[in-house]
Every structure is written in C-alpha cells, then in structure tokens.
C-alpha cells in the first residue's frame, strides 16, 4: 500500500462551538482501520481546540506508536526565544503526548521567517530534537519559491517541507505551487501537501467543470481528482485532507487505499477544469480561518468570500441568503475598518480589505 493520505485537523466536525468528538472518533477509527496513521495539527487550529480533541479522540484511545503526530510552532504565540519552550510544553500537554513525530516551523514566509530567526526558533527546534521531544524538524510554507530557496539554503537541517499544492495553484503566479515544489526537490526535501482541494473550492465545481470529469466515465468524486493530482508527484510524502465528516474520510479512503497516480487522460481533464475555473474569477481564499479571531468587527471573512465565490463562479442564487446568515451576528463586509490585521496573517496574501469592498458591493447594494 502506498500510504500518502494524511489527516489534517484544522476543519474538524463541530457541534456549535465545540468539536463533535463522537464524529471525530468515528472518523479517526475509519481512517486508522484503513491502514493510515498520519495526523497534522497546530496550536491555533479550530480556535485552539484541535490539540485537545486529538488528545481525547486519538491519543487516549491508541498506543503512541500507532500514529504519527505532527504539530507546529506558530509565530503568533511567541514574541521571544524564551517563550518558545513553554509554548512547546503546552502543546505536548494539550495533545497528551511526550513527543511529536514532526514539528514544523509554521507558515513560513519572509516576515514570519524573520521573526523565527530573531527568536532563534530553528535552533530551539534542533535542541528539542536532541532531547527526543521532536523526532523530525520541518517547516510549512506560504510564499514565493525564492523565499523557500533562501530558507532551505540557510537551514539545510530542515527535514521536510509542507506546501500548498493543488491543480489550481500549480500554475498560479501568486502561490507558485509548481516552483515551490521544484525548490523542495532541488533541496531533496520530502513534500507534505496541504490544501489539495483548495479549502473545498475543488469539491463543489461549476457544471462545465463537472462535465469534464464526468466525461471520463468513472464513478469518482470531484475531490478525488484534486487529491490524486497532488499525490501523483514524485517526492510527495503525504497529502493532507482537512476532513469534517465521516463521509469525507470514507471518500478519501476509497481512492487513497490503493492509490493510483492520475492517468494521462485524467491530467488532461484537470488542465481543462483549471482553464474553466480560471475563466470565472473569484477570491483565492482557502478558508483556513486564521484571519477570523483577530478581526475587531467580527467579520466572518472566509464565509463571506465563500458566498461571493458561490455567486460569481457557480451562479448560486442561494448565496444571498447565506450572506444574511453569516452577517446576522457577525460583521458585514461594509463594516470593515481597514485595520489590515487580517491581511498581516493571511497565508494567501490576499488583499482582504479590497475583496471585502467587492463583496459588499455584490451583496449589500440594495441595503
Ligand atoms: S481589515 Fe477589516 S476585515 Fe480585516 S481585521 Fe480589520 S476590520 Fe476585520
Ligand atoms: S482570507 Fe486568508 S487568512 Fe482568511 S480564511 Fe481566507 S485564506 Fe485564510
């Protein structure tokens, strides 16, 4: 079995504000029963509830050597070198483990990297490795290929690199998935893929794109082409799927258990779908939700962007209704005060303030 399927724990099943632990347990059991064992989390995921949910649903129910657990050092949670170790110890405690298999320097871009350098974070990570509290040190990355090349040149000790990689971003001049992947190959680093379905954007396709895949005459989900696209590349060690219910786990298992790389005809179909999606516009938000907690106007930014994309890309008449749902207790797009707190944290480097103006124009013009 080629095991390239990782469990991303940033979009867990929810019961209101809390993680639906019973559903999460069912998802973990199905995933483990199928022979997979790689879990990815971070301190901030699911408003800091991902780590404790893993403790309850995975760590307390399986022996430590039955699974691989990756956690990350996130720049927002430390200001100085001295604050790194207490944060790390808190992460171990929240997860209920004695060590992490992988510890990644989280969301490295030019600015975050400067902060990590200033705090000697890479050096602290190596100390933790020597102490056996971390088995492997890596990084996750959101910037242009030249920045990754610089980091990997300055830190050859990095063992693995997690990158955003999917069939849309592969040719994107801003995300540069292809070029970033090539830098990983140049430095001989195994690649972990995140956002293979672009935050769900490659699951709910417009009709013209669905037709391209339907014409292949296979009974595979649209998501499957996106996940298998990423897993088809040489050197890709894991493809993370951020799953939110058991059905998604089962769908992923159905084509990742006996993984087959995309055929030539499937690669050609993916190229056609990419052209169709590129012709429709839309905002390249991956719904990571990093921006949500810090917004002083409580604007549910990714949900409003999803409404906008549903309207412009898929002509979804229901999107006006959902815009109302997401602005009922949260801020409207027009209430943005332009503080740009969200833009500083957005790993996609989106011009959120400008996009919110487009969103306001689209949904609030009658108001
Ligand atoms: S710029 Fe607007 S959306 Fe972003 S954090 Fe500030 S108020 Fe919220
Ligand atoms: S706007 Fe940026 S930070 Fe916010 S959810 Fe989308 S991609 Fe993530």
């Amino acid at each position: 079995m080629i095991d390239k399927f990782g469990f991303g724990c940033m979009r867990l099943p929810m019961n209101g504000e809390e993680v639906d632990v019973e559903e999460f347990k069912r998802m973990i059991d199905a995933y483990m029963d199928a022979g997979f064992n790689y879990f990815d989390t971070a301190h901030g995921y699911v408003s800091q509830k991902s780590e404790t949910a893993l403790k309850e649903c995975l760590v307390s129910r399986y022996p430590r050597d039955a699974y691989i657990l990756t956690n990350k050092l996130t720049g927002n949670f430390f200001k100085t070198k001295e604050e790194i170790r207490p944060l790390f110890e808190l992460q171990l405690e929240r997860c209920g483990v004695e060590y992490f298999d992988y510890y990644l320097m989280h969301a490295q871009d030019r600015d975050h990297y400067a902060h990590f350098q200033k705090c000697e974070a890479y050096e602290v990570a190596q100390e933790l490795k020597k102490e056996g509290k971390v088995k492997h040190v890596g990084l996750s990355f959101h910037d242009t290929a030249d920045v990754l090349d610089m980091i990997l040149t300055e830190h050859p000790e990095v063992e693995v690199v997690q990158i955003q990689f999917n069939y849309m971003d592969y040719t994107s001049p801003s995300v540069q998935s292809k070029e970033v992947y090539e830098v990983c190959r140049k430095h001989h680093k195994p690649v972990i893929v995140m956002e293979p379905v672009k935050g769900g954007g490659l699951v709910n396709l417009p009709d013209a794109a669905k037709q391209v895949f339907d014409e292949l005459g296979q009974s595979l989900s649209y998501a499957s082409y996106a996940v298998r696209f990423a897993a088809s590349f040489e050197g890709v060690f894991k493809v993370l799927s951020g799953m939110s219910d058991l059905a998604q786990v089962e769908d992923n298992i159905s084509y990742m258990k006996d993984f087959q790389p995309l055929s030539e005809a499937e690669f050609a179909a993916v190229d056609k779908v990419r052209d169709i999606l590129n012709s429709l516009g839309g905002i390249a938000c991956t719904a990571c939700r990093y921006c949500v907690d810090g917004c002083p106007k409580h604007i549910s930014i990714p949900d409003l962007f999803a409404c906008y994309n549903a309207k412009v890309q898929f002509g979804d008449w229901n999107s006006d209704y959902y815009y109302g749902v997401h602005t009922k207790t949260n801020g409207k797009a027009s209430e943005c005060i332009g503080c740009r707190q969200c833009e500083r944290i957005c790993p996609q480097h989106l011009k959120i303030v400008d996009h919110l103006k487009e969103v306001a124009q689209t949904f609030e013009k009658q108001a």
Side-chain angles (χ1 to χ4, degrees):
M1 175 174 148
I2 306 172
D3 171 9
K4 288 198 174 196
F5 170 31
F7 199 138
C9 300
M10 68 160 14
R11 298 187 181 90
L12 298 180
M14 302 299 286
N15 240 338
E17 297 289 301
E18 298 306 319
V19 175
D20 181 345
V21 289
E22 293 313 315
E23 177 75 350
F24 190 28
K25 283 178 191 170
R26 284 190 285 273
M27 292 162 69
I28 288 173
D29 292 347
Y31 173 80
M32 297 284 279
D33 285 351
F36 300 104
N37 68 350
Y38 185 94
F39 294 84
D40 171 271
T41 189
H43 193 56
Y45 286 177
V46 198
S47 304
Q48 296 192 29
K49 291 172 184 167
S50 175
E51 291 174 325
T52 45
L54 274 165
K55 179 178 181 179
E56 181 173 352
C57 302
L58 173 72
V59 174
S60 66
R61 298 171 64 242
Y62 286 90
R64 181 64 186 90
D65 60 359
Y67 57 86
I68 296 169
L69 183 57
T70 293
N71 209 329
K72 309 191 187 78
L73 178 63
T74 307
N76 301 350
F77 294 111
F78 66 92
K79 289 199 181 65
T80 62
K81 180 180 180 182
E82 289 65 41
E83 288 176 3
I84 295 176
R85 271 184 181 266
L87 169 62
F88 177 81
E89 295 297 335
L90 177 65
Q91 290 182 276
L92 285 180
E93 188 193 319
R94 290 248 175 114
C95 290
V97 294
E98 303 283 314
Y99 67 91
F100 294 120
D101 297 276
Y102 291 85
Y103 198 51
L104 308 186
M105 307 295 101
H106 196 183
Q108 298 296 279
D109 61 13
R110 200 179 285 278
D111 294 345
H112 284 125
Y113 179 59
H115 174 56
F116 276 61
Q117 287 288 80
K118 193 177 102 223
C119 298
E120 297 176 25
Y122 284 73
E123 289 73 17
V124 175
Q126 287 305 313
E127 287 167 19
L128 293 168
K129 185 178 166 186
K130 274 195 203 114
E131 293 163 22
K133 292 176 171 178
V134 163
K135 302 283 177 206
H136 305 281
V137 174
L139 63 88
S140 73
F141 186 74
H142 288 284
D143 206 328
T144 49
D146 58 324
V147 175
L148 181 60
D149 198 24
M150 173 187 78
I151 298 176
L152 292 179
T153 303
E154 292 179 6
H155 287 288
E157 76 279 11
V158 164
E159 292 165 87
V160 61
V161 180
Q162 184 163 315
I163 65 172
Q164 178 168 323
F165 191 89
N166 56 64
Y167 66 72
M168 288 305 292
D169 293 328
Y170 189 63
T171 55
S172 155
S174 58
V175 181
Q176 299 188 355
S177 285
K178 179 173 185 284
E179 292 80 1
V180 167
Y181 164 79
E182 282 164 359
V183 170
C184 296
R185 300 294 291 157
K186 177 182 143 190
H187 288 268
H188 309 291
K189 306 298 178 192
V191 173
I192 301 170
V193 166
M194 57 183 153
E195 304 291 3
V197 296
K198 208 164 164 55
L202 305 182
V203 178
N204 303 309
L205 296 173
D207 288 345
K210 282 181 185 165
Q211 202 185 326
V212 172
F213 286 137
D214 291 347
E215 280 169 5
L216 291 168
Q218 305 171 138
S219 54
L220 289 169
S221 66
Y222 302 122
S224 73
Y225 293 103
V227 175
R228 286 176 54 233
F229 172 86
S232 295
F233 284 76
E234 217 175 300
V236 169
F237 156 62
K238 293 286 169 199
V239 178
L240 301 177
S241 182
M243 298 167 286
S244 306
D245 60 41
L246 183 59
Q248 289 172 359
V249 179
E250 287 170 344
D251 183 51
N252 277 316
I253 289 170
S254 71
Y255 51 83
M256 292 306 282
K257 199 164 173 178
D258 297 307
F259 169 71
Q260 296 291 331
L262 290 188
S263 66
E264 249 176 65
E266 289 173 321
F267 268 117
V270 160
D271 287 342
K272 274 194 208 163
V273 168
R274 182 190 300 119
D275 289 345
I276 291 168
L277 293 176
N278 276 334
S279 71
L280 296 172
I283 300 167
C285 169
T286 61
C288 68
R289 308 194 77 83
Y290 292 176
C291 56
V292 172
D293 285 346
C295 174
K297 303 306 284 184
H298 305 292
I299 298 170
S300 192
I301 300 164
D303 298 317
L304 303 195
F305 287 174
C307 291
Y308 179 85
N309 286 348
K311 188 152 180 150
V312 302
Q313 294 187 310
F314 311 125
D316 184 353
W317 54 270
N318 229 356
S319 53
D320 286 271
Y321 173 80
Y322 278 102
Y323 186 78
V325 170
H326 291 299
T327 53
K328 203 168 189 172
T329 50
N330 295 314
K332 292 193 176 101
S334 59
E335 288 168 21
C336 168
I337 53 171
C339 66
R340 298 195 190 273
Q341 156 107 0
C342 52
E343 292 189 1
R344 284 192 284 278
I345 206 166
C346 176
Q348 307 304 318
H349 309 291
L350 295 179
K351 294 193 180 324
I352 295 175
V353 175
D354 293 345
H355 286 313
L356 283 174
K357 286 183 187 146
E358 296 162 48
V359 173
Q361 254 187 348
T362 304
F363 291 102
E364 298 179 35
K365 54 187 176 227
Q366 306 92 330

